[in-house]
Amino acid sequence: MASSQDAWYLSLLGLAEYFRTSSPPMIKLCIQCLQAVFNFKPPQRVEARTHLQLGNILLTHTKNIDLAKNHLEQAWLLSQVINSFDDVKFEAASVLAELYEQQEQISLSKPILRKAIELSQHNVYWHCRLIFQLAQIHATEKDYTLASSLLGVGVDYAHISNASYTRVLFLLSKGMLLLIDKKLQEVQPVLNQAGHLIETWTGAVYQKEYLKVYFLVLQVCHYLIAGQVKSVKPYLKQLQQSIQTIMATDDVFMGPSAGDMFLWMPKEHLYVLVYLVTVMQSMQAGYMEKAQKYTDKALMQIEKLKIVDNKPILSVFQLMLLEHIIMCRLVMGNKTHALQEISSAVALCKQCPRLLETHGPQLHTLLGLYSMSMNCMEAAEAQFIAALNTSRERELWTFANLNLAIVYLRGKREADFVKLHDRINPETLPSNSHSLRAAAYYVQGLQAFFQGRYNEAKRYLRETLKMANAEDVNRLTSCSLVLLGHIFLSLGNSRESMNMVTPAMQLASKIPDVHVQLWASAILKG
């Protein structure tokens, strides 16, 4: 029978739980009951668990972060020396590390997680979860090498622990980081290994389909980063089919291992992500109306999800959709819409300073493109330079330089163009993107055209056409054909000019690209 002292704190714990689960919850009374437990000098286990409960409740229901942190620190300190106390010990470590990270005290997060990982090797679920959490922190700090190395440890640990599903999750997460770090040569072996494990999967069907969606998202992104918008099509089609399967199935994760209890993201978020990569592919391929249609669907879905639970990832998806639709609007000549959406993107970034930090260069680039479309070349130059000064992203940096080069060509600023030359030389381009390299040949052709070096211009433009046609980069194809038409007209060969401009006009109408249409019309009239 419990002593009277035990009876006191057990009663207080019961009462605290009653207040917490009341409708509406009586949080103040719950906290008072839990704090009163300490007056009875309870056993260390009860003390540690109560500190954890108080920390969680203060974090969830109050703004008293410092007091919550104090209780979580106590829970972690007390529980470390208690055996067979995993749920409290590792939850305290995980929540406390996350709190430090939110307060930008990452140097305090990392040692806690390292210690917890060391202590949790016997517990498959917590060991895997803590590895994911520490890898996420290293990825946030852009230390992708260390994050990938940790995920590699997770792959091996999950394998020996028979957590087959989580093993593939670790592999795919490693592949994702290699993609983010643009280590495209190292990505493929990782994706191949994951793909083989998914193909030969003998576990739960839902787990297989879920892993397949993650795998296909990475494959699609791999091709899009490489600018291969035609090669990506079969993978994108498979992805669209797989997401439909997942959405129509109840998400039941029935794995044989306690370690198989993780999600990359909820299926509702995956659904939006599939829309997003579809928009990216459509825009790169030059199907602006298709991109617009899927953007509208995705934004509507995001609004619905935000009402239920406004997760930060939804704002990232929303911002990326806006960035792509703004470029579509500019191509289609809808400048007013483009400006309104740039304003929406800025407003979204202001709500979350971290978004402004990560997407500021993209916003400068979009303002540069808008300025170009309005023929405000000084403003365009200022925006592209701002993007270059704030971005470390190789593809964005190349894209901004190529557009800046066009600004200089249109302004007859040959000396400034020459200074950029090494950065946009297609033979030594820092980007791995097929379509950006094709665009670099186009810019070289444009410069040769402006200088009257027509044969050289034709050589560059034929290279652009060859590359653009190989991957269905329709907008680049139409631009190159019109410029070739212009060159043939300048050489007095109107028949050959027509042979170039007519298909360009047809393609531009299909995109639709208003600027190429106007340019082509002017040549046809001329």
Side-chain angles (χ1 to χ4, degrees), residues 215-249:
F215 168 75
L216 288 168
V217 165
L218 297 185
Q219 281 284 31
V220 168
C221 290
H222 190 195
Y223 280 107
L224 291 179
I225 289 167
Q228 294 174 299
V229 293
K230 183 180 179 181
S231 304
V232 78
K233 282 181 180 178
Y235 294 100
L236 186 58
K237 192 172 181 182
Q238 282 183 61
L239 176 59
Q240 289 162 344
Q241 289 165 349
S242 272
I243 195 66
Q244 293 299 336
T245 305
I246 278 196
M247 294 309 289
T249 315

Side-chain angles (χ1 to χ4, degrees), residues 56 78 151 349 363 414 452-453 501:
N56 279 331
L78 290 166
L151 292 169
C349 285
L363 291 175
E414 190 60 30
R453 295 180 284 116
V501 174

Side-chain angles (χ1 to χ4, degrees), residues 17-26:
E17 184 62 10
Y18 167 76
F19 289 135
R20 189 186 71 82
T21 55
S22 296
S23 185
M26 294 183 259

Side-chain angles (χ1 to χ4, degrees), residues 207-219:
Q207 286 183 325
K208 178 176 182 172
E209 211 61 45
Y210 184 89
L211 292 170
K212 193 174 169 186
V213 167
Y214 192 174
F215 168 75
L216 288 168
V217 165
L218 297 185
Q219 281 284 31

Side-chain angles (χ1 to χ4, degrees), residues 213-367:
V213 167
Y214 192 174
F215 168 75
L216 288 168
V217 165
L218 297 185
Q219 281 284 31
V220 168
C221 290
H222 190 195
Y223 280 107
L224 291 179
I225 289 167
Q228 294 174 299
V229 293
K230 183 180 179 181
S231 304
V232 78
K233 282 181 180 178
Y235 294 100
L236 186 58
K237 192 172 181 182
Q238 282 183 61
L239 176 59
Q240 289 162 344
Q241 289 165 349
S242 272
I243 195 66
Q244 293 299 336
T245 305
I246 278 196
M247 294 309 289
T249 315
D250 290 333
D251 38 349
V252 181
F253 276 82
M254 299 291 286
S257 168
D260 284 341
M261 294 170 67
F262 300 98
L263 281 176
W264 177 38
M265 61 177 75
K267 66 181 184 182
E268 293 77 14
H269 293 182
L270 283 174
Y271 193 57
V272 175
L273 181 55
V274 174
Y275 274 137
L276 173 57
V277 294
T278 304
V279 168
M280 291 163 76
Q281 192 273 340
S282 301
M283 197 217 74
Q284 284 192 34
Y287 302 118
M288 301 301 153
E289 287 173 346
K290 186 179 175 186
Q292 199 170 298
K293 182 180 89 172
Y294 282 113
T295 298
D296 291 342
K297 286 186 174 186
L299 290 173
M300 203 182 302
Q301 194 68 20
I302 287 169
E303 286 309 314
K304 285 181 191 170
L305 292 171
K306 277 189 166 187
I307 292 165
V308 179
D309 190 2
N310 192 359
K311 294 283 186 193
I313 190 73
L314 294 173
S315 294
V316 175
F317 289 160
Q318 189 176 355
L319 187 54
M320 291 179 76
L321 284 161
L322 284 171
E323 287 167 1
H324 282 82
I325 199 62
I326 289 161
M327 287 189 277
C328 291
R329 303 276 195 216
L330 291 173
V331 169
M332 295 167 77
N334 299 334
K335 296 170 196 177
T336 307
H337 272 119
L339 195 57
Q340 286 168 349
E341 281 152 349
I342 290 171
S343 176
S344 298
V346 171
L348 195 59
C349 285
K350 282 184 176 173
Q351 292 168 20
C352 176
R354 180 154 170 71
L355 273 184
L356 191 57
E357 184 188 319
T358 51
H359 287 258
Q362 286 91 322
L363 291 175
H364 283 301
T365 304
L366 290 169
L367 284 165

Side-chain angles (χ1 to χ4, degrees), residues 124-144:
V124 182
Y125 168 74
W126 275 110
H127 196 65
C128 291
R129 177 168 161 175
L130 293 162
I131 288 173
F132 274 126
Q133 190 172 350
L134 184 55
Q136 174 68 55
I137 287 174
H138 287 307
T140 303
E141 291 186 305
K142 293 186 168 54
D143 190 345
Y144 299 120

